[in-house]
Amino acid sequence: MAVPSKASSSVIVVRQKKTFALPPATLGFAHFATPDNYDPAKPTYKGNFHLNPVAIEALLKLIQANCIDANLAALHTEMERVMTKPDFTKFSSKPAVTPQDFLDTKLKEPKEEAILKTPYITLATKATYRDKKTGLDVKKTLACWDKANNLLDISKMKLGLGSVVEPIVNCNLYFSKVNAINPTPSLQLAGIRVLKLVQFKGSSNAPTRADEESIREVMGDDFEMDDGDLSQYAAVSASLPCSDPHPEEKDDSEPNF
C-alpha cells in the first residue's frame, strides 16, 4: 500500500510501505557497519552494487512493477488533494519516467582501475533517525539477513568487496512541479540479504525468502550460495527501521536512487 509522505503543492511523494529485493549484485565499495561521514551532518549507510546484464534487465522490470505501477494511482490521488484543479489537470497527465530513462541516470561505469568491471548503482539510507519524544538524532543499524532470512549483525560480518548480496529497498514515487519533473521513482536502502560472504581483510520483519532458482537466473548456473553457518553473526535484536527518503535532495550520499 502506498502512503503519502511530505505532500505539498510543489513536491509530492508517496511511499510503498512494503520492502522488496533487487536482483543479486556483487558488492563494491560500501559503508554498512559504520556510517559514511563525508558530510558529518548527514551520516549514511551506503554501498555500490555491481550488476550484470541479466540483473539490469530484471531491475528494469522491478522498477516498473514495484515503483511506478504500484504507486502512480496513489500519487495522482495525492496530487489531486493538494493541487488546485487547473494544476492537477495540467500535471496529472504527465507520464512517469520510463525505467530505462531512470536507470540511465543512476547506473555508473566503474573506473578503469577498478577491480569490479560491471556497472553499478549506489543505494543509501540515513544512519540516524529523529526520536520523536526527545527530538534527538539516534544512530540506527542497517538490517541484514542470510538467505534463510535469519537476522544477522552486520557489524560482525566484515562484509567485503566481491560479496554477493540482494539489496532490500523501499520505493518512493515523487512529482516536482517546481522542476517540471515527471513522476519519478526513488529507491532507499532498507537492508542487505547476504547470498555469498567475502570478508574484507583484518581482524524487523524479514522480506520474502530468497528464491534460489531466480538467483541462478541472474548469477548463472555455476553460482553457489553460501551453505556455511552464519549463525555466529546472528543479531541479538531486530534492527531499527530506515527513515524516509528525501527525493528533493540530489547528492549521491542521499537515498535517491
Side-chain angles (χ1 to χ4, degrees), residues 15-247:
R15 176 170 57 90
Q16 188 71 22
K17 297 180 71 175
K18 183 179 179 181
T19 60
F20 61 95
L22 299 190
T26 304
L27 184 64
F29 177 81
H31 276 276
F32 291 156
T34 58
D36 179 359
N37 289 305
Y38 179 78
D39 182 350
K42 299 177 181 179
T44 60
Y45 295 118
K46 63 188 297 185
N48 294 342
F49 300 91
H50 291 254
L51 302 167
N52 65 28
V54 179
I56 291 172
E57 287 301 314
L59 179 56
L60 290 171
K61 294 178 182 178
L62 283 173
I63 291 171
Q64 182 68 52
N66 291 7
C67 296
I68 298 173
D69 294 345
N71 295 311
L72 190 56
L75 182 65
H76 283 162
T77 298
E78 193 62 12
M79 289 169 68
E80 186 175 20
R81 185 181 75 83
V82 302
M83 284 181 167
T84 64
K85 187 172 182 179
D87 276 353
F88 175 71
T89 301
K90 176 181 178 181
F91 292 114
S92 62
S93 62
K94 282 181 169 288
V97 300
T98 68
Q100 186 64 64
D101 286 345
F102 172 63
L103 195 57
D104 284 346
T105 67
K106 303 301 179 181
L107 202 60
K108 304 173 185 177
E109 292 294 331
K111 295 180 179 179
E112 186 175 347
E113 66 274 16
I115 296 175
L116 300 177
K117 302 300 184 183
T118 50
Y120 67 93
I121 58 173
T122 300
L123 297 171
T125 185
K126 291 183 177 180
T128 61
Y129 72 98
R130 182 63 55 87
D131 186 291
K132 293 182 179 180
K133 292 184 178 179
T134 65
L136 299 176
D137 287 338
V138 180
K139 183 180 176 182
K140 65 186 180 185
T141 301
L142 186 66
C144 181
W145 298 269
D146 64 14
K147 65 178 183 180
N149 286 332
N150 298 306
L151 193 62
L152 307 176
D153 185 343
I154 202 167
S155 66
K156 298 178 181 178
M157 297 186 68
K158 302 179 184 177
L159 192 63
L161 182 79
S163 296
V164 178
V165 301
E166 285 179 326
I168 309 301
V169 300
N170 295 107
C171 181
N172 280 10
L173 190 68
Y174 71 96
F175 167 78
S176 173
K177 185 174 72 173
V178 174
N179 299 320
I181 294 176
N182 289 31
T184 302
S186 173
L187 293 183
Q188 180 189 33
L189 189 64
I192 299 293
R193 181 189 284 126
V194 180
L195 304 179
K196 189 174 185 66
L197 175 62
V198 176
Q199 292 185 309
F200 60 75
K201 295 179 180 179
S203 140
S204 132
N205 293 325
T208 306
R209 184 183 176 109
D211 180 350
E212 188 166 348
E213 182 177 348
S214 65
I215 290 168
R216 291 188 186 283
E217 288 179 359
V218 173
M219 301 305 295
D221 290 337
D222 294 335
F223 175 68
E224 294 293 336
M225 286 195 294
D226 266 334
D227 289 324
D229 183 9
L230 298 179
S231 61
Q232 61 183 307
Y233 308 115
V236 176
S237 60
S239 299
L240 293 168
C242 294
S243 57
D244 289 338
H246 299 277

